[in-house]
Amino acid sequence: MIGASLGAAAYERAPEISRILAGAGPVEDTRRARLSAKADAILTLSGIGISFGGVTALSDVDLEVKSGEIRAVIGPNGAGKSSLINIISGLYHANHGTIAIDGQPFARVPANRLARLGVARTFQNLALFGGLSVRDNIASGRVHTRHTSFVEHIAGLPRARREDAVIAEKTDQIVVFLHLEAVADRLVATLPYGLQKRVELARALVAEPKILLLDEPMAGMTATEKAEMAGFVRAARDRHGVTIILIEHDIGVVMGLSDRVAVLDYGRKIADGTPAEVRADPAVIRAYIGTAEGEASDELL
Amino acid sequence: MNYYDFLFAIEVLVGGLLSGVMYSLVAIGFVLIYKTSGVLNFAQGSMVLFAALTFVSLVERGVPFALSLLVTLAVMVALGFTIERTVLRPLVNRSPMTLFMATLGLSYIIEGAAQLIWGTQVHGLDLGIDDTPFEVGGILISSFDLLAAAIAAAMVAGLSAFFYSTRIGLTFRAVADDQFAALAVGLRLPRIWGTVWTTAGFVALVAGLLWGARLGVQFSLSLIVLKALPVLVLGGFDSILGAIVGGLIIGASEKLAEVYLGPFVGGGIEGWFAYALALVVLLVRPSGLFGQKTVERV
Amino acid sequence: MAVQALDAERLPIDWQKLALPAVLIAVAYGLIPTYASSYLVEAILLPFLALSLAAVGLNLLTGYCGQLSLGSSAFMAVGAFAAYNFNLRVEALPLVATMILAGISAAGIGILFGLPSLRLRGFYLAVSTLAAQFFVQWALTKFGWFSNDNPSGVISAPHLTVAGFSLDGPTGRYLLSVTMVIVLTGLVWRLVNSAIGRNFIAVRDNETAARVIGVPVLRTKLLAFAISSFIIGVAGVLWAFTYLRTVEPAGFNLDRSFQILFIIIIGGLASIRGAFLGAAFIVVFPLVLSRLGAFAFGGLFDSGVLDMSQRIVLGALIIIFLIAEPNGLSALFDRLKRRIGSRSS
């Protein structure tokens, strides 16, 4: 397990201390609160576990993500991939474990402060605002940078106008970057599925996040669309230096795109390493052959 | 508190619990439809009015009691299937709020039609139930209330048996659980919804008869929907048990509040007390006492 | 809430689009005060204006922000009774200030009853707005202070004067009403086209996504409740002071709340223009129905029958609109305009 046990003593206690400061009570098991001391780890999950109504979705999962890498999490259906991303973004609350975002430890990530923590995400099932245009959807990704009140907006005061202008400029840049010019003023609900996925990526990117969580960004796409999307994801990392955590079904895409891959099965991490290492791991092969996902295991083999 | 005050409090409590059962009776109609189709059917109250008005008008025109009951039931079945056909089917896959607003429109239609057909006067309804109160251990209990409670209890038992031991009940539950899955395995949703609305129509008939015998059959009967809503909120929209417990809690606390709290604020608090109570519970449990907590799928 | 079509109002400035409002304002201030009969003003225009404004307010909350409210008329009542009391108890308070204070009172009550929206969603919230409906009506009837100890809780409009001009006549009341409606609608129009308005829509369309990208969801909902209640409160003042002149709490009942909801369903959710089209429809429709009924059935069509058939037709229209044209008269209007446009070109 890379980086999981390299914690220096001072870091060992960091999550607990901050949690006590936040009034959340002490960690029930300090040994579980493992935190990476690696300077370049931008996101660290330690001992994450969650269950829904008695069904365990994740148990004791560690994950460490280095700054600027594309980190994939794969696994068969129901392996807990989406739960993992929902825990990182604060929509689910883990029963066990801690999450450190950019050195700041949390037992529960506050979803409403996520954007200001520098984390943006996309959703497995589209989560766009159907009643807004493409441009407005993208612009909404920077809503966390706004400081103006409704009165300033109604009155059209300079501060509100300046804020709008800055956001409009950033939005335009992303529109160009993701080739959405032709549809920018259309109602987002009228776009084809593949383009809507791209708008979601745009809405996440416009926030200029440090960490970008992509929950199956290529699900349901054609091969061409997938290749295009993979290109955008890589370009986003190369040009903006954003760290990307990618959950994806299409193993072919994942292996070509990621720097490191973690494999989940039945809520446990069964492998972690470079694409080549993971591909050769017998546990991974077993997990994939043992499921109905023949297509995936074929590609793997 | 002396002995007689205590007895009086108990009497108020028992009276409240019994009238609470009457609330539950209306609320169950809502739960049936909500569970199987996710629709909060605002028209349930007007269905109660429609059923009672149809029945009483038939009886007044000399139709025998049993036949009137049968004809009214047939009318409710027809109504249930008509609603499925003309309102629900065209709105399938639309948001729950849209469906709710449609049932709001539906309640206007049914109320208007009921009174256009049968007139707006108040009808007395005599079910031949003796309503002399009797005494148990120093407490006066209305025998009508007790019988109404017994009928309600029997109906709940009947519905539960229907839900949990018949084939059609099984399909109801399957649909309630997952509409898409039910559709995928070949359950015919329109027929099931038609049946559910019919069942709700039957519940409305029973509620209409009991409430009508109590209050007289008139327009205000449809307003019992407003009594049932806080019960539903308290118990959770999707739980029959919740409708019963919610009805009992609201019935009892409403009566107690009226007697012991009302005088301090000028009385007349029964219009909103149930809502305030339901709100307090909701703030602690956002899906009611027995409602299903849904894990958000993202 | 279903996805609402983007209004014409949401596009960047287009002079053609501004032509219609300009014509409407010319009609409102030129034609109507000069030529309209007092029947037209008293029986149609005044209720139309008050209901339009109330519908604009509800549309902000329900159409744009997606929070279904069944208690609108309670906020109208708060506005009306607050205005009455401010006027009665504060010496020499200008009428406009009275109206604004009334709106602020309604906004305060709106925030109070909007608090459950922070935890509740959908039907649970809709039912909790009924609490506002019943509680407000009860309080206004029960506590004599609100109606200056009138035994049945009735309040009467004071003399309406603005800057020394008496506005008690039909034309004066009309001008007061139409000006308030135009100003407030203009402000709402600016709001829904601003970033704040887009936050409303974001919360409506996908609350989870809105939260994750940093929309202050709780604050946005409360803001929607506050502004919506403010507007509905002022609409209540117009209803009480310019239209009916004498109102009682029972006049602000659940049926009135439903009426306002029906206006925005028929007119079109999340459309300002829809609020006006819907209100016009709701005001004119009973008059047309009664004429038609009298024409077709003669004496048989008495007020009872009219009332019932009105309910039936209204209910049916709601369902028909929800099925066939979820975006209401507003969308119908657009389609008509396009068809005429394509024919003439």
Side-chain angles (χ1 to χ4, degrees), chain C:
Chain C
M1 205 69 45
V3 170
Q4 303 307 327
L6 203 63
D7 254 351
E9 301 140 4
R10 300 212 20 73
L11 295 171
I13 295 178
D14 177 348
W15 294 109
Q16 240 186 327
K17 292 265 150 56
L18 283 180
L20 186 67
V23 170
L24 286 179
I25 285 178
V27 170
Y29 285 106
L31 226 52
I32 289 175
T34 325
Y35 295 107
S37 68
S38 71
Y39 170 79
L40 180 67
V41 171
E42 299 260 11
I44 295 179
L45 290 176
L46 288 174
F48 160 72
L49 287 168
L51 288 177
S52 298
L53 190 60
V56 167
L58 180 63
N59 223 337
L60 208 53
L61 182 65
T62 300
Y64 286 95
C65 200
Q67 312 296 305
L68 180 61
S69 162
L70 302 176
S72 312
S73 74
F75 301 114
M76 283 179 85
V78 171
F81 279 78
Y84 172 79
N85 281 291
F86 278 120
N87 183 75
L88 181 78
R89 294 168 207 280
V90 183
E91 201 79 25
L93 188 67
L95 184 60
V96 174
T98 306
M99 286 183 158
I100 291 173
L101 285 173
I104 291 174
S105 311
I109 302 290
I111 291 176
L112 189 69
F113 281 97
L115 284 174
S117 72
L118 305 188
R119 242 172 107 71
L120 308 182
R121 288 192 192 187
F123 297 131
Y124 288 98
L125 176 67
V127 172
S128 81
T129 59
L130 281 175
Q133 176 66 50
F134 297 125
F135 182 81
V136 166
Q137 227 182 310
W138 171 81
L140 292 178
T141 317
K142 216 76 227 176
F143 300 107
W145 186 85
F146 290 117
S147 55
N148 202 21
D149 290 320
N150 183 292
S152 44
V154 175
I155 56 167
S156 299
H159 284 294
L160 306 174
T161 50
V162 171
F165 290 100
S166 168
L167 299 175
D168 284 322
T171 311
R173 280 182 280 136
Y174 163 77
L175 286 174
L176 173 67
S177 192
V178 84
T179 307
M180 287 308 281
V181 170
I182 287 175
V183 169
L184 287 178
T185 305
L187 294 180
V188 170
W189 187 81
R190 284 199 61 94
L191 179 78
V192 298
N193 285 295
S194 75
I196 306 291
R198 291 195 285 276
N199 282 356
F200 284 9
I201 293 174
V203 168
R204 175 195 76 192
D205 285 349
N206 198 318
E207 196 176 315
T208 306
R211 192 153 51 106
V212 165
I213 62 170
V215 173
V217 173
L218 304 185
R219 214 184 326 145
T220 301
K221 282 185 183 175
L222 283 187
L223 187 67
F225 265 98
I227 301 179
S228 156
S229 307
F230 178 94
I231 308 246
I232 296 175
V234 175
V237 184
L238 295 182
W239 183 261
F241 283 13
T242 69
Y243 170 49
L244 285 178
R245 311 284 281 150
T246 319
V247 291
E248 52 179 342
F252 298 102
N253 57 11
L254 190 60
D255 263 350
R256 178 86 48 232
S257 291
F258 285 161
Q259 188 182 37
I260 300 166
L261 181 63
F262 288 170
I263 288 175
I264 67 170
I265 297 174
I266 290 178
L269 290 165
S271 154
I272 289 176
R273 187 181 51 189
F276 287 87
L277 293 174
F281 180 84
I282 287 280
V283 170
V284 173
F285 152 76
L287 303 173
V288 172
L289 193 68
S290 91
R291 291 281 162 85
L292 275 180
F295 178 73
F297 303 103
L300 268 176
F301 206 78
D302 60 18
S303 68
V305 176
L306 171 67
D307 200 39
M308 291 310 132
S309 38
Q310 199 181 313
R311 279 187 102 78
I312 295 175
V313 177
L314 193 59
L317 276 171
I318 295 294
I319 295 173
I320 290 169
F321 266 105
L322 288 172
I323 292 172
E325 186 50 272
N327 294 321
L329 285 171
S330 182
L332 217 60
F333 192 75
D334 270 341
R335 223 182 298 149
L336 205 69
K337 218 165 58 181
R338 263 201 305 276
R339 189 168 299 172
I340 293 168
S342 68
R343 202 170 289 170
S344 64
S345 62

Side-chain angles (χ1 to χ4, degrees), chain A residues 144-164:
Chain A
H144 66 287
T145 64
R146 288 188 181 272
H147 300 287
T148 45
S149 68
F150 78 98
V151 178
E152 286 170 279
H153 278 282
I154 291 178
L157 295 187
R159 211 156 75 100
R161 291 222 299 266
R162 267 200 309 276
E163 205 180 69
D164 284 347

Side-chain angles (χ1 to χ4, degrees), chain A residues 55-76:
Chain A
V55 181
T56 304
L58 287 174
S59 65
D60 203 20
V61 172
D62 296 322
L63 188 74
E64 178 247 24
V65 183
K66 287 187 216 155
S67 186
E69 75 174 334
I70 297 180
R71 186 78 153 100
V73 177
I74 62 169

Side-chain angles (χ1 to χ4, degrees), chain B residues 144-221:
Chain B
F144 178 87
D145 281 352
L146 205 61
L147 187 75
I151 291 175
M155 205 165 70
V156 168
L159 282 175
S160 305
F162 176 68
F163 245 74
Y164 287 98
S165 55
T166 65
R167 209 181 138 68
I168 192 157
L170 186 70
T171 58
F172 275 22
R173 280 188 294 145
V175 174
D177 211 42
D178 189 335
Q179 283 187 21
F180 289 105
L183 207 57
V185 298
L187 295 179
R188 275 171 296 181
L189 285 185
R191 252 219 359 235
I192 292 167
W193 282 336
T195 315
V196 173
W197 278 74
T198 302
T199 317
F202 169 71
V203 176
L205 174 60
V206 176
L209 293 184
L210 291 174
W211 275 97
R214 172 65 79 63
L215 302 174
V217 178
Q218 55 180 319
F219 177 73
S220 66
L221 210 51

